[in-house]
Amino acid sequence: MTPTEPFTGAAGTAPAERPPLPVKLVIAGGFGVGKTTAVGSISEIEPLTTEAAITEVAAGVDDLSHTPRKTTTTVAMDFGCITIDPTLKLYLFGTPGQERFGFMWDDIVEGAVGGLVIVDTRRLDDCYAAVDYFEHRRIPFAVAINAFDGRVDHTLDEVRWALDVTDGVPLLVFDARERGSVRDALLVVLEQALARTGG
């Protein structure tokens, strides 16, 4: 083999392809904002969910006024993955939305490079906890407004003011049911994470 010839591995075999880099992202937000839907829309595998039926007791605790057709809720996490290209694979972890399951967040978020906070503009106060969580831990995140029934009740500027997030936090409108829309939102989070690391 001359110095200019590529190395092909043992006995002339082609070099093994390097597996894609695994990157962990977290999808967070309040109860019923579309976290499970978003993971399910984009995951290339059958998503792992921990959905449980909403009981009469839970219905008395969780506000179902804006989600009357919702019959289940995430009680631990959602999990899915998507290969962006041959070099990058995103592992998606969805958090439970209710405050009573907040003790799980530290374990779910550990190792994540960024987060996507999903917002329902009809009840912005449900996402404050998620925004505060990422801000206090200095984890890059973006805010995605889920367009329920194809409409958004407030402008992006109004949402930014209500959430009190800086101009450095991207805000966007997306549809948790649409694969391409979810992909674009996750790519915004990835860009935020890369910018933070200088990559």
Side-chain angles (χ1 to χ4, degrees):
M1 183 175 73
T2 68
T4 58
E5 290 177 334
F7 176 70
T8 56
T13 60
E17 287 189 17
R18 183 172 297 176
L21 178 70
V23 174
K24 180 178 181 179
L25 296 181
V26 173
I27 298 179
F31 171 75
V33 296
K35 300 181 297 296
T36 300
T37 300
V39 173
S41 295
I42 198 168
S43 180
E44 63 193 17
I45 63 169
E46 184 69 26
L48 167 67
T49 62
T50 55
E51 294 281 285
I54 296 176
T55 63
E56 289 186 12
V57 173
V61 175
D62 301 319
D63 181 8
L64 301 177
S65 59
H66 292 289
T67 54
R69 296 186 298 274
K70 187 172 177 60
T71 59
T72 63
T73 185
T74 300
V75 295
M77 69 173 188
D78 300 313
F79 172 77
C81 62
I82 177 69
T83 302
I84 298 297
D85 61 37
T87 68
L88 185 66
K89 187 169 187 175
L90 302 183
Y91 290 87
L92 311 174
F93 291 77
T95 65
Q98 301 93 323
E99 287 187 21
R100 64 183 182 276
F101 297 126
F103 66 92
M104 301 179 185
W105 276 50
D106 286 343
D107 290 333
I108 294 173
V109 173
E110 184 176 1
V113 301
L116 181 69
V117 177
I118 300 180
V119 171
D120 179 351
T121 56
R122 299 170 298 181
R123 43 198 176 96
L124 285 172
D125 55 336
D126 285 359
C127 73
Y128 291 156
V131 169
D132 288 345
Y133 187 94
F134 290 118
E135 284 183 337
H136 291 156
R137 285 158 182 79
R138 301 183 59 80
I139 298 172
F141 71 99
V143 174
I145 300 168
N146 196 3
F148 284 90
D149 300 320
R151 57 188 286 261
V152 175
D153 291 345
H154 301 284
T155 67
L156 292 179
D157 286 341
E158 289 171 337
V159 173
R160 184 178 297 281
W161 178 87
L163 298 181
D164 191 26
V165 292
T166 68
D167 291 340
V169 176
L171 263 69
L172 55 113
V173 177
F174 89 133
D175 188 331
R177 301 166 300 179
E178 297 292 333
R179 180 182 178 90
S181 189
V182 176
R183 179 204 60 215
D184 292 346
L186 294 174
L187 289 176
V188 169
V189 176
L190 194 58
E191 288 173 2
Q192 282 291 97
L194 289 173
R196 178 74 63 88
T197 60

